[in-house]
Amino acid sequence: MYFLGEQIVLRLNNFLYNAGVLGFIKVLKNMENNFVDVDYSIQGNTLTFSSDVFKDFTQYYLKTLMDEFEKDTMYYSIIEKYKMIVSQNLIEETEEFKDLLRLMSSTLKANKFSSGYTIISKRGDSTDIKKLLDLLNKEKDFNQKQVYAKEIINYMEKYRDVLLLKEIMYTKINLFWNNTAFLSKTSVEEEIDNCYEEKFIAPILKYTGKKPRKNTYQCIECGREVPQLKEGSMAWINDMGVDINRKRSNFWNYNPDVLICPICKVVYSCVPLGFYIVGKNGLFINSSVSIESLIEMNNYDIKMNSLIDIENAAYYKILRALNYLGNVDPARKQINFGIQIVKRIFEDKQSSYKFNIVTPTTLMVLSEREKEFQQLINRYYTFNKGSSNAKTKNIYDTVVTHILENKNLFSFMHDILRDSIESSQKIDFLYNVLKIQITFSMKGVASLMERIEQITKLEKTTYHIWKCGLEIKNILTPKNGPKVQGEGKTKSYIYKLLNALRTNSASEFINTVIKLYIDAKKEIPASFLKMLNDEEQFKILGDAFVMGLLGQESHNEENESNN
């Protein structure tokens, strides 16, 4: 970052700074949408803007926070539920109304709102909202309850700029930064905009336009001058560095070099706006190649209700962003760079960052098997079902995790096949997992045409082998009519087949298949010999045969047979 007259330049850097840049741009766009004259431009990994934006930045920073996060707050839920109930023109108290009162009481009496009530009282409004809630809960007359409820809702709507922001501060912003501005313990009862202006914007207004001095501290992000050591501390950013004002022994020669300038400090304050947050969990797709692709990848059109929903959408946002930006040179380069899925996870009463690296291989598998991945969403399998140590797996999450970690899916499929022998659960989803594995196995084939040809050929053989297993199943243990052998004997054969797959023993597998075909009085197809060609091909075809032998159907069988 540097100055070109009145122009300030930001460049993409580490994941957290990039999330801040994305959040900063959201504020600029909010200003634009409200007809504020904003001078900024985006080119490659660079954002250039006029220092004039900081004159109105506080107002639109807070507005963007409310616009972005309002629908994921209890504040919003209360008001929306109240409006819905009022529209029903109730003449007597219902369970729905009682639920609303309980929600109002538990939410508005929470500690995070107490300092907000103090701010409001300083404005001259002496309404005691907690006392009003007590009156509401004790009141017997339904009409009077409605009067109290309406008064509370009016109060909430009138002071949206305080109460909504208070909830956002303590459920969204403090996941990423704390202990400064309106989150400082000494400032929680002060006006929110004044706190932000004082800590973030005022230092910039003093800072811009000054000539750099020699022998001063430098910003770790942009290299510009840090006016004062105290102002440059990053201790307020969660999981970032130490408080340099208290402990300098961590630094060489006691000289701290982990400092940021006032402008980069504002960028970091925008980090929460760069993440898609649901509850106390958030996700950000990081890439340092292009700001345009960063915006596109993190642009979600619909509201999602859980971190799983966001992550499910994230991988395909990456693919669609790359397709959308296909004619832009920097975007084409991204497939050769690691794209990060950054998650802010709240568990065990604390937040932490978790990362998945999206490699070119991952993008290839996700792209070529999008249909199969979509069919795995909301599919689950419970291991040891009915026992005390039962454990349910989300199939989509598990498969995606394996691909992201560059792990094959054989052990996962094997565990399900073995468990399902004694289980009544359907595993029809497993054929889609097998198809994903087929594409994953071909990741080393550089030529697109050759890879498609090999995948198509292996898919046809896999489908044929699966049908062979199903045919043997129907001969030996048909649903109707006399059984050639007991189900117990067939199960013992399946266990032997799975053991052969586990130990990579193709000869043992083929010997067991021969016994099955002898029992079924059928001639063994020559396609089984293809198992001997390649270890991964053996596992793929072997899994397909066992799936058929278990009587599990594949998704879209008609489409498979037409391949």
Side-chain angles (χ1 to χ4, degrees), residues 43-62:
Q43 186 173 6
N45 70 345
T46 301
L47 168 68
T48 305
F49 61 95
S50 168
S51 58
D52 292 342
V53 302
F54 292 116
K55 294 176 182 177
D56 299 308
F57 194 85
T58 297
Q59 175 188 346
Y60 287 98
Y61 172 77
L62 299 177

Side-chain angles (χ1 to χ4, degrees), residues 66 68-77 164 167-168 171-172 276-281 303-305:
M66 291 188 284
E68 195 80 6
F69 299 127
E70 180 174 22
K71 290 185 179 180
D72 190 41
T73 62
M74 298 307 296
Y75 171 94
Y76 179 81
S77 295
L164 175 56
E167 183 171 354
I168 291 171
T171 60
K172 315 297 182 192
Y276 190 107
I277 304 174
V278 174
K280 290 190 174 183
N281 297 310
K303 184 182 184 299
M304 285 165 281
N305 299 313

